[in-house]
Amino acid sequence: MNVSDQQAEIVKSLLKITREEELNCNELLEVIGEYAEKKLSGQPIDKTLEPVEHHLGLCRECEEEYEALCKALQDIENL
Amino acid sequence: MVTYPVALGGEQGKLLLLMDTWQDRLGEHHPERSEAIVELRAILLRGLKSSLSGRHREDSANLEDIAQKALLKILENLGTYQGRGKFTSWALAITIRVAYNDIRARHWNNVSLDYLKEQAGDSIPEESVSSTSPDVEAQKKDSLELVRRMIQTDLTTRQQDVLLAALNGMPQEEIASQMGTNRNNVYKLFHDGRKALKRAMEQRGYSRDMLYDSPDTGTYDQTYAQTYVEGGHS
Ligand SMILES: [Zn+2]
């Protein structure tokens, strides 16, 4: 097994934001619509949605899907 | 069986139907179910077209397939919609996940976990320029060495596999399918692994500050995202 310095740095960065309790990708799917709507309309993100923000900082796939969702919602909004 | 307001007939029935939610209208016995499905499919397709423009552009036959697959998934999971945000936002989130699962599976089609384990770390150049003092550099080097050691000693084989594959940009669905599990379990292995490493490092006397002298989140996002975009296999 071979972990480069840069990858070890990434692991450290991940540890920095690791929490005991985190949303998983499926749980995120249930609330990401609400989160995206609030973000797009400039509304504040309340406590119940904060774990969404945290998960997006850890999970590239959900982050990528969230960006795509925002594009879709903006487009549909502009219909 | 649910009784729908159309059974009331006349203006009262029509008015009540107008108040029905997407969830109601997509329900198995609703008189407008077919119309609702057609409407929703059109919204999903439109959302897919705008979200998959750019580097993930798909041809329209593919988009139709993805929308159909997503629609089935949405209908199957109708009862899980919790009313958090609009129904169409929830449905689009599911659709986009279906789409990306498809795209990622095609992209990572020929890459095995074993191959990634052999390649791990090789594809990324080491940082060579540093503006920090020799002491800070030495401490940083120590902490990186410790991270490497802890990965070997404090993680299970499955946790190591998930971590290494993720560090080399392999998406969770692909890791899951190669490990014979699902994305949720992969996330759990990733999460449990991180918690184990965090505990192990703190137990070895690394305080939060010493351990977490790493680049700020911006740098982390950049390098992590770059690894993901480039993958480990191009
Ligand atoms: Zn995720």
Side-chain angles (χ1 to χ4, degrees):
Chain A
M1 193 194 314
N2 187 6
V3 177
S4 70
D5 277 1
Q6 198 173 2
Q7 289 177 325
E9 279 290 2
I10 291 171
V11 173
K12 279 172 67 183
S13 312
L14 290 171
L15 298 186
K16 189 176 181 176
I17 51 173
T18 292
R19 292 178 179 173
E20 275 307 305
E21 298 294 329
E22 293 176 3
L23 284 187
N24 66 36
C25 305
N26 277 2
E27 289 163 340
L28 181 108
L29 202 52
E30 297 306 320
V31 285
I32 194 67
E34 182 187 11
Y35 178 83
E37 285 167 18
K38 290 207 162 146
K39 276 282 185 186
L40 288 173
S41 62
Q43 287 177 64
I45 298 305
D46 62 32
K47 246 192 177 161
T48 65
L49 287 173
E50 192 278 334
V52 172
E53 208 142 46
H54 179 254
H55 184 94
L56 293 179
L58 272 165
C59 180
R60 290 159 308 178
E61 287 97 314
C62 285
E63 164 76 21
E64 189 178 32
E65 291 163 21
Y66 164 69
E67 298 291 340
L69 177 64
C70 287
K71 274 198 217 166
L73 292 181
Q74 273 169 320
D75 193 40
I76 301 233
E77 198 63 23
N78 292 334
L79 270 183
Chain B
M1 176 174 157
V2 188
T3 312
Y4 283 100
V6 78
L8 294 170
E11 287 308 304
Q12 193 187 0
K14 275 186 211 154
L15 256 174
L16 284 171
L17 266 182
L18 281 175
M19 289 163 64
D20 279 355
T21 61
W22 275 105
Q23 238 173 329
D24 296 330
R25 295 176 65 219
L26 291 166
E28 250 177 75
H29 303 291
H30 197 281
E32 285 184 356
R33 186 171 194 247
S34 317
E35 290 94 318
I37 287 178
V38 172
E39 269 174 58
L40 183 61
R41 195 205 311 262
I43 293 173
L44 301 184
L45 257 178
R46 165 130 203 167
L48 276 175
K49 275 180 196 152
S50 40
S51 62
L52 297 183
S53 55
R55 83 186 168 98
H56 286 314
R57 186 182 295 281
E58 293 283 307
D59 65 44
S60 47
N62 259 1
L63 290 179
E64 295 272 353
D65 282 354
I66 294 169
Q68 185 57 29
K69 226 167 145 181
L71 194 57
L72 293 177
K73 203 166 176 171
I74 290 162
L75 292 174
E76 259 169 43
N77 292 288
L78 215 49
T80 67
Y81 169 60
Q82 301 164 1
R84 304 278 308 254
K86 291 177 190 161
F87 179 85
T88 44
S89 305
W90 175 78
L92 277 166
I94 291 177
T95 306
I96 285 165
R97 177 156 298 176
V98 169
Y100 272 88
N101 282 352
D102 235 55
I103 293 167
R104 291 173 188 140
R106 265 181 276 142
H107 187 72
W108 286 85
N109 190 6
N110 294 315
V111 189
S112 75
L113 264 178
D114 289 338
Y115 171 80
L116 275 194
K117 272 193 274 180
E118 284 163 28
Q119 300 295 307
D122 290 350
S123 58
I124 301 169
E126 308 282 310
E127 273 177 59
S128 54
V129 186
S130 169
S131 55
T132 45
S133 74
D135 272 3
V136 174
E137 272 305 299
Q139 194 192 345
K140 188 177 146 187
K141 243 187 151 44
D142 280 355
S143 72
L144 295 184
E145 213 27 69
L146 185 64
V147 169
R148 281 193 197 92
R149 232 176 26 240
M150 299 297 97
I151 291 175
Q152 304 267 15
T153 56
D154 286 71
L155 297 188
T156 65
T157 312
R158 282 168 81 79
Q159 287 170 345
Q160 287 174 356
D161 286 353
V162 166
L163 182 66
L164 277 182
L167 285 173
N168 282 283
M170 184 179 266
Q172 293 176 85
E173 292 88 8
E174 190 55 33
I175 301 174
S177 88
Q178 294 200 27
M179 289 175 77
T181 182
N182 57 43
R183 178 159 162 180
N184 257 11
N185 283 336
V186 167
Y187 191 84
K188 185 167 166 30
L189 285 164
F190 182 53
H191 184 203
D192 289 346
R194 281 182 284 116
K195 285 195 287 188
L197 284 179
K198 195 173 169 176
R199 266 195 305 274
M201 297 201 59
E202 285 169 356
Q203 273 165 11
R204 280 160 182 86
Y206 270 75
S207 69
R208 224 193 121 77
D209 289 349
M210 284 158 78
L211 173 58
Y212 306 134
D213 59 355
S214 30
D216 59 23
T217 315
T219 315
Y220 149 69
D221 282 346
Q222 227 172 11
T223 46
Y224 202 26
Q226 194 183 3
T227 315
Y228 178 63
V229 170
E230 290 169 355
H233 63 289
S234 47

